[in-house]
Amino acid sequence: MAKKQFKSESKRLLELMINSIYTHKEIFLRELISNASDAIDKLCYLSLTDDKVGLTRDDFRIDIYVDREKRTLTVADNGIGMSLEELDKNLGVIARSGSLQFKQEMEKKEDLDIIGQFGVGFYSAFMVASKVVVVSRKYGEEGANMWVSEGVDGYTITPCEKETVGTEITLTLKPDEEGEDYSTFLNEYTLRSLIKKYSDYIRWPIYMDVTKTRQVESGEKDEKGNPKLVWEDYTEREVVNSRVPIWQRTKSEATDEECAAFYKEKFHDIEDPVAVIRVSAEGAVSYKALLFIPKTAPYDFYTRDYKAGLELYSSGVLIMERCEDLLPEHFRFVKGVVDSQDLSLNISREMLQHDRQLKVIAQNLEKRVRSELKKMQENDPEKYRGFIKNFGLQLKFGIVNSFGVSRDTLADLLMFYSCKNEKLITLHEYVVAMPDSQKYIYYACGEDIEHIAKLPQAEAVREKGYDILFLTDEIDEFVMKTLVRYEEKEFRSVTSDDLGLVSEEEKKAAEEAQEKNQALLGFVKETLGDKIVAAKISQTLRHHPVCLTTQGPVSLEMERFYQSRSKNGELLPMFKAQRVLELNPEHPVFEALKNAYETDKSAAEERVKMLYDLSLLLAGMSPEDPAAFAERVSNLMAQPKQG
Ligand code: ADP
């Protein structure tokens, strides 16, 4: 059969493996054993509903064979096996995001040691082997196939015989070279320690020839005439792993470090999780869970490609790889394993969705994750800020999308940038620090902190000495609108036209000014037409001549958000912000406008339009007609200085 080429991505990874100078070559064994275990999981699951499998749980096993003369090491399983197509597809290409991600990390990082922490899969065999032979027979098929590769050159697949269903992977180890002792992987002691180190928790028994000694009669007799005994070595096939899944162990039996190592291997992460959550529940529903909160968001986390869910086991048998029903949407970043003996083994996936037990488990897990996060927030704020940077957005989605109870408890977990503290704070921290005179929780939205800090509307709030939460995520304002209030305090955008700041006198003065300038304000509104719903005298502006505020539920930020999502740039009226142009009566520009209004209407119109454009600029938007704006400014600059 003609040699086939590896797909280019795989070829690169393979080259990395073959030429690897990594210190952790040994992990190849862990990878092969965990593939074997997965394959058995699959057949075991089938056997629950398919009598033809002909195996019971106790029959499944993984076997390790060593041939020192031929320098071969074999890992065999009686799992589901691979068909011809699967051999070609699975072993000829990196289908898996884990491998790809690993490769990307490799290119980014100098630290080659990361391989020791990363699931790199089947290809890792090439770190230690010059030749890899895979003989596999798929469940349900009569024939078997043999896949052979000696590295980057490619691979061949030919039909062959195999009596039983399953897969046998045989590595011919590379010759030893300076600094590289590949022969050690033929050594019983090395293999046993590696299995203990990396694969001890594998549920299926891993059998190996184990050397033992016993006393036997030598055939000679001692001086008293008794048979003489001598020590003799013999081998026996024995199970060498303890088979207790790590989630079944107590904290003293499996340390946090061991759990973290398990996490990294299982979920293909290169970093330790920020939290390890162990759950052991007895009662109405008994189950064990081992959950992890990743340190950084996976690169595809906020895309549709990301697959959420927990691994679900029933008494140690994997029944679902990604059970999404076990986690609420807002905690979909949590990874881990749930194992319950109370779930029926051959329950169908559709039934699982309505399973009462599953609902109870899901509710408890939600509570546990929440309290774990709360604990981290209180005990290790820095770590928690890191968490918020990665997954805060997901919590916010949760608030906007959820109905009912979880909103308030989720709000406790949020953090926003505080203008005063110049760092992320919780809403509770904000409220606690509010002076008695402060009515609202103020927030301001914008692209980034620097822009928001310059918003003219924020001036008045800051002058009062009140803190402002700076919101930079598009969804933030929707969160505020959904929550409405926190600890009885209402949220209020600094661009709202009622900030609740002004004293009675100030209010009165502004009302008087409003009254006095009625005609001018009417003229402003008339000149700008539909662009604004009103022009009014500002109660809050200090240094700037104008600003834009809004009436009603849609803010400028929200309008921008809707705009960016509208198909043809057209917005329905209900998604448009109702703009109010506020004028600062103390500013010289106001005086100049008034003069123009009284003496030269067309000059006044120009000024009004320019002021409107200025208000847009100050709100972080572009003038509607930049060319016209530029022309107005130029004209103004070219005017001889008056007076
Ligand atoms: P991963 O196991 O992370 O998916 P690998 O490169 O290790 O990536 O394996 C690729 C695929 O090959 C597996 O997903 C599985 O479908 C198949 N495979 C590997 N080893 C075995 C095996 N022993 N039995 C059955 N299928 C296997």
Side-chain angles (χ1 to χ4, degrees), residues 35-36 39 42 77 80-82 90-91 96 121-122 167 169 268:
N35 280 350
K42 286 179 194 151
D77 66 69
I80 189 108
M82 279 177 276
N90 295 341
L91 307 185
R96 210 185 61 181
F122 170 75
T167 304
I169 301 184
H268 306 306

Coordinates of all heavy atoms in Angstrom, one line a residue, residues 35-36 39 42 77 80-82 90-91 96 121-122 167 169 268, ligand 1:
N35 N -5.6 7.1 26.2 CA -6.3 6.8 25.0 C -7.0 5.4 25.1 O -8.1 5.2 24.7 CB -5.4 6.8 23.8 CG -5.1 8.2 23.3 OD1 -5.8 9.2 23.7 ND2 -4.2 8.4 22.3
A36 N -6.2 4.5 25.7 CA -6.7 3.1 25.8 C -7.9 3.1 26.8 O -8.9 2.5 26.5 CB -5.6 2.2 26.4
A39 N -10.9 4.5 25.1 CA -11.5 3.5 24.1 C -12.3 2.5 24.9 O -13.4 2.0 24.4 CB -10.4 2.9 23.3
K42 N -15.7 3.8 26.0 CA -16.7 3.8 24.9 C -17.3 2.5 24.8 O -18.5 2.4 24.6 CB -16.0 4.3 23.6 CG -15.8 5.8 23.6 CD -15.1 6.3 22.4 CE -14.5 7.7 22.6 NZ -13.4 8.0 21.7
D77 N -5.3 -2.6 24.5 CA -6.6 -2.5 25.2 C -7.7 -3.3 24.5 O -7.5 -3.6 23.3 CB -7.0 -1.0 25.3 CG -7.3 -0.4 23.9 OD1 -8.3 -0.8 23.3 OD2 -6.5 0.5 23.5
I80 N -12.9 0.0 22.2 CA -13.8 0.1 21.0 C -13.1 -0.2 19.7 O -13.6 -0.6 18.7 CB -14.5 1.4 21.0 CG1 -15.6 1.5 19.9 CG2 -13.6 2.6 20.7 CD1 -17.0 1.5 20.4
G81 N -11.7 0.1 19.7 CA -11.0 -0.1 18.4 C -11.2 1.0 17.4 O -12.0 1.9 17.6
M82 N -10.4 0.9 16.3 CA -10.6 1.9 15.2 C -10.7 1.1 13.9 O -10.1 0.2 13.6 CB -9.3 2.8 15.1 CG -9.3 3.9 16.1 SD -7.8 4.8 16.1 CE -6.7 3.9 17.1
N90 N -7.8 9.6 12.5 CA -7.4 9.9 13.9 C -5.9 10.0 14.0 O -5.4 10.8 14.8 CB -7.9 8.9 14.9 CG -9.4 8.9 15.0 OD1 -10.0 9.9 14.6 ND2 -10.0 7.9 15.5
L91 N -5.2 9.2 13.3 CA -3.8 9.1 13.5 C -3.0 9.9 12.4 O -1.8 10.0 12.5 CB -3.3 7.7 13.7 CG -4.0 6.8 14.7 CD1 -3.3 5.5 14.9 CD2 -4.0 7.5 16.1
R96 N -7.6 17.5 17.1 CA -7.9 17.9 18.4 C -7.4 19.3 18.7 O -6.3 19.6 18.4 CB -7.2 16.9 19.3 CG -7.9 16.6 20.6 CD -7.0 15.8 21.4 NE -5.7 16.5 21.6 CZ -4.8 15.9 22.3 NH1 -4.9 14.7 22.7 NH2 -3.7 16.5 22.5
G121 N -1.2 13.7 23.2 CA -1.8 12.7 22.5 C -0.8 11.6 21.9 O 0.3 11.5 22.3
F122 N -1.4 10.9 21.0 CA -0.8 9.8 20.3 C 0.6 10.1 19.8 O 1.5 9.3 19.9 CB -1.7 9.3 19.2 CG -1.1 8.3 18.3 CD1 -0.9 7.0 18.8 CD2 -0.7 8.7 17.1 CE1 -0.4 6.1 17.9 CE2 -0.1 7.7 16.2 CZ 0.0 6.4 16.6
T167 N -7.2 -2.4 20.5 CA -6.1 -1.7 19.8 C -4.8 -2.1 20.5 O -4.7 -2.2 21.8 CB -6.2 -0.2 19.9 OG1 -7.5 0.2 19.3 CG2 -5.1 0.5 19.2
I169 N -0.8 -1.0 20.5 CA 0.2 0.0 20.0 C 1.6 -0.5 20.4 O 1.9 -0.6 21.6 CB -0.1 1.4 20.5 CG1 -1.6 1.8 20.1 CG2 0.9 2.4 20.0 CD1 -2.0 3.1 20.4
H268 N -6.3 19.5 29.1 CA -5.3 20.1 28.2 C -5.1 21.6 28.5 O -5.2 22.5 27.6 CB -5.8 20.0 26.7 CG -6.1 18.6 26.3 ND1 -5.2 17.6 26.4 CD2 -7.2 18.1 25.7 CE1 -5.8 16.5 26.0 NE2 -7.0 16.8 25.5
Ligands
ADP1 P1 -7.0 12.6 21.8 O1 -6.9 11.3 22.5 O2 -6.7 13.7 22.8 O3 -8.2 12.8 21.0 P2 -4.8 11.5 20.3 O4 -3.9 12.1 19.2 O5 -4.1 10.9 21.5 O6 -5.8 12.7 20.7 O7 -5.7 10.5 19.6 C1 -6.5 10.8 18.5 C2 -7.7 9.9 18.4 O8 -7.3 8.6 18.0 C3 -8.5 9.7 19.6 O9 -9.4 10.7 19.8 C4 -9.2 8.4 19.4 O10 -10.4 8.6 18.6 C5 -8.2 7.6 18.6 N1 -7.4 6.7 19.4 C6 -6.2 6.8 19.9 N2 -5.8 5.8 20.6 C7 -6.9 4.9 20.6 C8 -7.1 3.6 21.1 N3 -6.2 3.0 21.9 N4 -8.3 3.0 20.8 C9 -9.2 3.6 20.1 N5 -9.1 4.8 19.5 C10 -7.9 5.5 19.8

